[in-house]
Amino acid sequence: MIKTENHMGTIEINETYFANLIGNTVSSCFGVVGMANSNTRQQLRAFLKKGLIFPDQGVLVQKTGNSLLIELHIIVTYGLNINAICQSITNKVKYTVEEATGMQVAKIKVFVDGMKAES
């Protein structure tokens, strides 16, 4: 749970909510083919449940102080400008998370773990 306090009380938001929100946002960005597994738990889940796609795949969210640190692992389309794709993802994720939750995003790290040709 990620907790934040304001003048009205304490708000608790589940990490799964953040991961689903961010995963869906990133997947809808131009140039993103998919998400890559970002940790051992996600790799094991993908191995055991072959063929299923999870919205939190490739997303890690941590709270640092009063803001969030987001780590993304993506697979992009071959031949596109990777810098432009990552900048677009960063802007869209920051806007979406701050609008949906009211929490500040301190840093977004985008890791390109692979490339695929357009099909």
Side-chain angles (χ1 to χ4, degrees):
M1 289 288 201
I2 295 176
K3 292 183 181 183
T4 184
E5 292 187 26
N6 62 16
H7 66 283
M8 298 183 74
T10 302
I11 300 170
E12 294 181 2
I13 303 175
N14 193 328
E15 287 93 351
T16 305
Y17 169 76
F18 281 109
N20 290 336
L21 175 69
I22 295 166
N24 290 328
T25 301
V26 172
S27 296
S28 69
C29 288
F30 177 75
V32 176
V33 176
M35 304 294 286
N37 293 319
S38 60
N39 59 30
T40 307
R41 184 181 67 81
Q42 289 181 358
Q43 291 173 349
L44 181 61
R45 181 179 64 187
F47 177 74
L48 295 174
K49 298 182 180 186
K50 289 182 170 86
L52 294 178
I53 298 172
F54 299 95
D56 67 337
Q57 183 176 2
V59 179
L60 293 173
V61 180
Q62 299 174 339
K63 184 171 183 202
T64 58
N66 291 331
S67 58
L68 300 173
L69 173 63
I70 300 171
E71 187 175 302
L72 305 169
H73 293 264
I74 63 171
I75 301 170
V76 298
T77 304
Y78 178 77
L80 296 179
N81 186 335
I82 294 173
N83 188 38
I85 293 170
C86 293
Q87 192 63 40
S88 172
I89 289 169
T90 302
N91 292 336
K92 191 169 184 179
V93 167
K94 181 176 171 104
Y95 175 78
T96 302
V97 170
E98 288 179 352
E99 285 296 310
T101 65
M103 297 182 75
Q104 292 288 77
V105 177
K107 189 178 228 180
I108 299 174
K109 295 180 182 179
V110 181
F111 297 94
V112 178
D113 290 348
M115 292 183 179
K116 287 191 178 177
E118 282 190 67
S119 46

